[in-house]
Protein backbone atom coordinates (compact mmCIF):
# COMPACT_ATOMS: atom_id res chain seq x y z
CA UNK A 1 0.00 0.00 0.00
CA UNK A 2 1.28 3.48 -0.91
CA UNK A 3 1.86 6.16 1.71
CA UNK A 4 -1.03 8.60 2.10
CA UNK A 5 -0.87 11.77 0.08
CA UNK A 6 -1.94 14.01 3.01
CA UNK A 7 -1.75 13.25 6.73
CA UNK A 8 -2.81 15.54 9.59
CA UNK A 9 -2.00 14.80 13.23
CA UNK A 10 -3.05 16.64 16.41
CA UNK A 11 -4.25 19.76 14.60
CA UNK A 12 -5.85 22.42 16.78
CA UNK A 13 -6.54 25.84 15.31
CA UNK A 14 -8.10 28.82 17.06
CA UNK A 15 -9.19 32.30 16.08
CA UNK A 16 -8.93 34.28 19.29
CA UNK A 17 -10.82 32.31 21.91
CA UNK A 18 -12.86 30.34 19.35
CA UNK A 19 -11.88 26.80 18.39
CA UNK A 20 -11.96 26.59 14.60
CA UNK A 21 -10.61 23.11 14.01
CA UNK A 22 -9.64 20.07 16.07
CA UNK A 23 -8.35 16.95 14.32
CA UNK A 24 -6.68 14.04 16.09
CA UNK A 25 -5.75 12.18 12.88
CA UNK A 26 -6.98 12.55 9.33
CA UNK A 27 -5.58 10.96 6.18
CA UNK A 28 -6.47 11.76 2.58
CA UNK A 29 -5.40 9.14 0.09
CA UNK A 30 -4.28 10.13 -3.40
CA UNK A 31 -7.03 11.57 -5.60
CA UNK A 32 -9.76 14.17 -5.35
CA UNK A 33 -11.47 14.82 -2.04
CA UNK A 34 -14.54 16.88 -1.17
CA UNK A 35 -14.84 18.53 2.23
CA UNK A 36 -18.43 18.95 3.41
CA UNK A 37 -19.92 20.27 6.63
CA UNK A 38 -22.11 22.94 8.17
CA UNK A 39 -21.11 26.60 8.39
CA UNK A 40 -18.44 27.13 11.02
CA UNK A 41 -17.28 23.52 11.08
CA UNK A 42 -13.70 24.34 10.02
CA UNK A 43 -13.78 23.46 6.31
CA UNK A 44 -12.16 26.70 5.14
CA UNK A 45 -9.59 26.58 7.94
CA UNK A 46 -8.68 23.01 6.99
CA UNK A 47 -8.30 23.91 3.31
CA UNK A 48 -6.28 27.05 4.12
CA UNK A 49 -3.92 24.93 6.25
CA UNK A 50 -3.55 22.33 3.50
CA UNK A 51 -2.93 25.02 0.88
CA UNK A 52 -0.27 26.52 3.20
CA UNK A 53 -1.96 29.93 3.24
CA UNK A 54 -2.72 29.69 6.98
CA UNK A 55 0.03 29.04 9.51
CA UNK A 56 -0.13 25.79 11.45
CA UNK A 57 -0.64 26.51 15.17
CA UNK A 58 -0.25 23.00 16.60
CA UNK A 59 0.23 19.49 15.29
CA UNK A 60 1.67 18.40 11.97
CA UNK A 61 0.67 18.15 8.35
CA UNK A 62 2.48 16.16 5.69
CA UNK A 63 1.76 16.33 1.97
CA UNK A 64 3.64 13.58 0.16
CA UNK A 65 5.84 13.49 3.30
CA UNK A 66 6.65 17.21 2.87
CA UNK A 67 6.42 19.57 5.85
CA UNK A 68 4.64 22.91 5.21
CA UNK A 69 6.54 24.59 8.05
CA UNK A 70 9.77 24.23 6.03
CA UNK A 71 9.94 27.02 3.42
CA UNK A 72 11.39 24.89 0.61
CA UNK A 73 9.00 22.03 1.28
CA UNK A 74 6.07 24.50 1.49
CA UNK A 75 6.93 25.66 -2.04
CA UNK A 76 6.99 22.04 -3.21
CA UNK A 77 3.57 21.46 -1.60
CA UNK A 78 2.12 24.50 -3.34
CA UNK A 79 3.33 23.12 -6.66
CA UNK A 80 1.51 19.81 -6.03
CA UNK A 81 -1.87 21.09 -4.82
CA UNK A 82 -4.71 22.97 -6.43
CA UNK A 83 -6.92 25.19 -4.30
CA UNK A 84 -10.09 27.08 -5.15
CA UNK A 85 -10.91 29.70 -2.54
CA UNK A 86 -14.46 30.45 -1.41
CA UNK A 87 -14.21 33.80 -3.18
CA UNK A 88 -12.08 33.26 -6.24
CA UNK A 89 -11.21 36.86 -7.11
CA UNK A 90 -11.21 36.25 -10.85
CA UNK A 91 -10.49 39.49 -12.75
CA UNK A 92 -13.69 40.22 -14.76
CA UNK A 93 -12.05 42.29 -17.54
CA UNK A 94 -9.33 39.69 -18.24
CA UNK A 95 -9.82 37.21 -21.07
CA UNK A 96 -10.02 33.52 -20.18
CA UNK A 97 -6.93 32.57 -22.20
CA UNK A 98 -4.87 35.41 -20.73
CA UNK A 99 -5.90 34.36 -17.24
CA UNK A 100 -4.82 30.77 -17.87
CA UNK A 101 -1.51 32.04 -19.26
CA UNK A 102 -1.06 34.08 -16.08
CA UNK A 103 -1.77 31.05 -13.87
CA UNK A 104 0.69 29.01 -15.94
CA UNK A 105 3.37 31.62 -15.32
CA UNK A 106 2.60 31.52 -11.58
CA UNK A 107 3.02 27.73 -11.73
CA UNK A 108 6.50 28.39 -13.19
CA UNK A 109 5.77 27.26 -16.75
CA UNK A 110 8.40 29.46 -18.38
CA UNK A 111 7.78 28.70 -22.04
CA UNK A 112 4.92 30.71 -23.61
CA UNK A 113 4.40 27.85 -26.09
CA UNK A 114 4.08 25.32 -23.29
CA UNK A 115 1.65 27.63 -21.43
CA UNK A 116 -0.53 27.83 -24.56
CA UNK A 117 -0.59 24.02 -24.78
CA UNK A 118 -1.36 23.78 -21.07
CA UNK A 119 -4.14 26.40 -21.42
CA UNK A 120 -5.76 24.46 -24.27
CA UNK A 121 -5.50 21.19 -22.33
CA UNK A 122 -6.89 22.69 -19.09
CA UNK A 123 -9.81 24.48 -20.77
CA UNK A 124 -10.77 21.28 -22.62
CA UNK A 125 -10.90 19.43 -19.28
CA UNK A 126 -13.45 21.88 -17.84
CA UNK A 127 -15.41 22.36 -21.10
CA UNK A 128 -14.38 26.00 -21.58
CA UNK A 129 -12.40 25.81 -24.84
CA UNK A 130 -15.05 27.79 -26.69
CA UNK A 131 -14.69 30.83 -24.39
CA UNK A 132 -10.89 31.21 -24.49
CA UNK A 133 -11.20 34.72 -26.01
CA UNK A 134 -14.14 35.82 -23.83
CA UNK A 135 -13.81 38.13 -20.86
CA UNK A 136 -14.16 36.41 -17.50
CA UNK A 137 -16.92 38.83 -16.46
CA UNK A 138 -19.09 37.64 -19.35
CA UNK A 139 -19.06 34.02 -18.14
CA UNK A 140 -21.86 32.49 -16.10
CA UNK A 141 -21.22 31.77 -12.43
CA UNK A 142 -20.81 28.06 -13.15
CA UNK A 143 -18.33 28.73 -15.92
CA UNK A 144 -16.34 30.99 -13.60
CA UNK A 145 -16.20 28.21 -10.99
CA UNK A 146 -14.93 25.79 -13.64
CA UNK A 147 -12.29 28.34 -14.66
CA UNK A 148 -11.23 28.60 -11.00
CA UNK A 149 -10.72 24.85 -10.94
Amino acid sequence: MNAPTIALNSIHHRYGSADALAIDRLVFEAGSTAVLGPNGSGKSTLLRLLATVAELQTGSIRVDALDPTDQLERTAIRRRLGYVAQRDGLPPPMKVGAFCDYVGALKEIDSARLRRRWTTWALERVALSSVIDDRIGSLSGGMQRRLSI
Side-chain angles (χ1 to χ4, degrees):
M1 183 172 166
N2 292 335
T5 300
I6 299 172
L8 300 95
N9 288 292
S10 303
I11 303 294
H12 295 93
H13 199 85
R14 298 174 64 86
Y15 294 108
S17 62
D19 287 326
L21 189 63
I23 297 172
D24 288 328
R25 177 148 173 80
L26 180 62
V27 175
F28 296 107
E29 298 293 336
S32 298
T33 300
V35 179
L36 305 172
N39 291 342
S41 64
K43 300 178 302 293
S44 294
T45 299
L46 171 64
L47 293 176
R48 289 176 50 78
L49 288 169
L50 293 177
T52 74
V53 296
E55 189 173 327
L56 187 62
Q57 294 174 349
T58 64
S60 67
I61 297 174
R62 294 294 179 271
V63 178
D64 287 341
L66 298 170
D67 180 358
T69 63
D70 177 279
Q71 184 176 354
L72 291 176
E73 291 186 16
R74 182 172 47 249
T75 299
I77 290 169
R78 289 177 176 173
R79 289 177 180 158
R80 285 173 169 75
L81 296 179
Y83 172 69
V84 178
Q86 187 168 356
R87 289 180 177 75
D88 53 40
L90 292 170
M94 188 177 249
K95 291 187 177 183
V96 170
F99 177 75
C100 289
D101 184 72
Y102 169 71
V103 171
L106 290 178
K107 290 289 187 180
E108 302 175 351
I109 301 173
D110 294 328
S111 163
R113 183 171 162 236
L114 188 56
R115 285 196 310 271
R116 279 191 300 278
R117 285 182 38 213
W118 176 82
T119 293
T120 300
W121 177 87
L123 291 175
E124 285 173 356
R125 296 302 167 284
V126 293
L128 291 176
S129 298
S130 64
V131 297
I132 192 169
D133 293 320
D134 293 2
R135 298 205 182 277
I136 293 171
S138 71
L139 302 179
S140 70
M143 293 171 97
Q144 289 184 23
R145 291 312 284 165
R146 291 198 322 260
L147 179 60
S148 292
I149 292 168

